[in-house]
Every structure is written in structure tokens, then in C-alpha cells.
Amino acid sequence: MIGKLRRSLSLRMSECNRVDILKSMGYPQPTERNLARLDKVLADRHLGLNDGAYDLRYSDEEFLRALCSALGVDEALVDVEIAAILREHECQVAAFKPYLWVDTGFTRKNQPLFALAALEQFRYLDFEPTFWRLPLHEQIARAGQRIREHMESTGGDLPVWGRVQQYWFFHSRDWAYLLGVTGEIIGECEGPVPSRSGGTRQWSASDNGKNKR
């Protein structure tokens, strides 16, 4: 269903003047910012509903509804598609986002915690927001490619953390795959996703997630 409303809006807008439409939406003297917002909404897959925009007149949903009304779009279609877009966004927000954790076998000695906290981000490799929707085999393939790119860009060394030994690909909250530095699967682990801290965290491929330290 998502996309039908956008196509309908694009078709109707092709026959209209943008400034006139904005005026009919309640903007007496449309500005470049108003025009830019209109263009962005029309180009966005989710019609700007997740932007969090507000221009002292309309929120995201209010702007879209005003646009649909100005263009004479069927209100029932508007209601159905807005509900579908909002549901999809809720699923996106709630979904676990797979990521790679770079394992260097690090053990803290005298490194200050504030320095480790500042560098913690370099031990995590994220993916695009919709990555979680891909089938597992595609996720693992993409994770392997990401690993090879990371090894090439870093030379296999992270500041403070040390030499990269392996990567943990967290596919879900309770399952991770251990991948080598060339992206191949060399183990797996069942257990909760570890917290993001500056301390030591190292798992072995054989401990099945039970021996975390």
C-alpha cells in the first residue's frame, strides 16, 4: 500500500503550480523554505511523516493532510496510507538493529575510563536503517564485506584497543556470529547482547555465550 498516495500526489502536482498549492494550504506568501518542504515531502518515500518538522503552521502529518486536501485526494486513501507509514516507522524504531563489534581482545590496564568511553564508538560498525529487514544470509554477506572494508581502511588496528582479532556480528538480541578478519564465519554465540562499556569484553567461539568476562 505504501507508495500509492505518493504516486497520486506526484501525478496531481504535475498539473498544478507549487506556489498556488501552498497558498491553498494556508501559506499567503509561500517562501523558499515552504517550497523546499513541499518538494521534500513529495520526494520522500514516507511523505515526510518521520521528519519531525514544524513551521509554525503544520506538523508533518498536518502538512501532508493539508496538501492532500488541496489536491483533492480521497480522504480514505490518506487515512489508510498514513496509518501504514506510521506502523512501518514504529516497527523500524522497535526492531533490533544488527551491528558488528570489533574484537581486539582488549584488557584494560591503566587506560582512563573517559578515554575508553570516547573511543568506544570505534568498536561498533552499524548498517543502514533498513538493514535488519534483509534475509540473514544477505546480512552475513554484507557484514563480511563491511569487515573487509574496515580492515582495509584501518589496517587492522584501532587506537588504544589494539590489533583486530575477529568480529562479532550481532544478528539479534540473543544471537551473534563470530567472523574472521576476512569476513568468514568461524563461530557463533547464544546470549544477550553485551552492554556498551569501556571495560573488557571477549567471547570465544566455544563458550556459547556463557563465559563473558
Side-chain angles (χ1 to χ4, degrees), residues 8-89:
S8 178
L9 290 174
S10 296
L11 179 61
R12 292 167 188 259
M13 279 299 303
S14 67
E15 302 172 348
C16 299
N17 180 280
R18 292 154 65 236
V19 172
D20 290 341
I21 290 299
L22 285 168
K23 286 182 177 180
S24 68
M25 291 170 61
Y27 296 93
Q29 297 295 328
T31 65
E32 288 299 322
R33 179 171 294 184
N34 300 146
L35 289 165
R37 184 180 186 185
L38 174 60
D39 292 339
K40 184 177 181 180
V41 166
L42 292 170
D44 182 34
R45 178 175 183 270
H46 292 147
L47 296 171
L49 284 177
N50 303 323
D51 287 349
Y54 186 72
D55 60 6
L56 301 182
R57 179 174 295 275
Y58 294 127
S59 65
D60 292 339
E61 184 173 340
E62 290 168 345
F63 185 93
L64 178 57
R65 287 188 179 277
L67 173 61
C68 292
S69 177
L71 291 172
V73 180
D74 181 65
E75 189 174 345
L77 171 62
V78 176
D79 289 341
V80 168
E81 188 123 356
I82 285 179
I85 292 172
L86 294 178
R87 282 196 302 271
E88 183 178 274
H89 180 64

Side-chain angles (χ1 to χ4, degrees), residues 75-143:
E75 189 174 345
L77 171 62
V78 176
D79 289 341
V80 168
E81 188 123 356
I82 285 179
I85 292 172
L86 294 178
R87 282 196 302 271
E88 183 178 274
H89 180 64
E90 289 175 358
C91 289
Q92 175 69 29
V93 171
F96 177 82
K97 311 304 188 299
Y99 65 89
L100 284 163
W101 181 66
V102 187
D103 187 353
T104 62
F106 174 79
T107 299
R108 182 177 176 238
K109 297 177 181 176
N110 58 356
Q111 298 92 342
L113 286 176
F114 75 86
L116 297 181
L119 295 171
E120 179 77 353
Q121 60 181 311
F122 296 108
R123 296 205 290 178
Y124 292 87
L125 304 179
D126 296 323
F127 297 90
E128 66 271 18
T130 57
F131 179 84
W132 65 276
R133 294 182 179 275
L134 296 175
L136 178 57
H137 70 279
E138 290 187 29
Q139 290 187 19
I140 292 177
R142 293 273 295 277

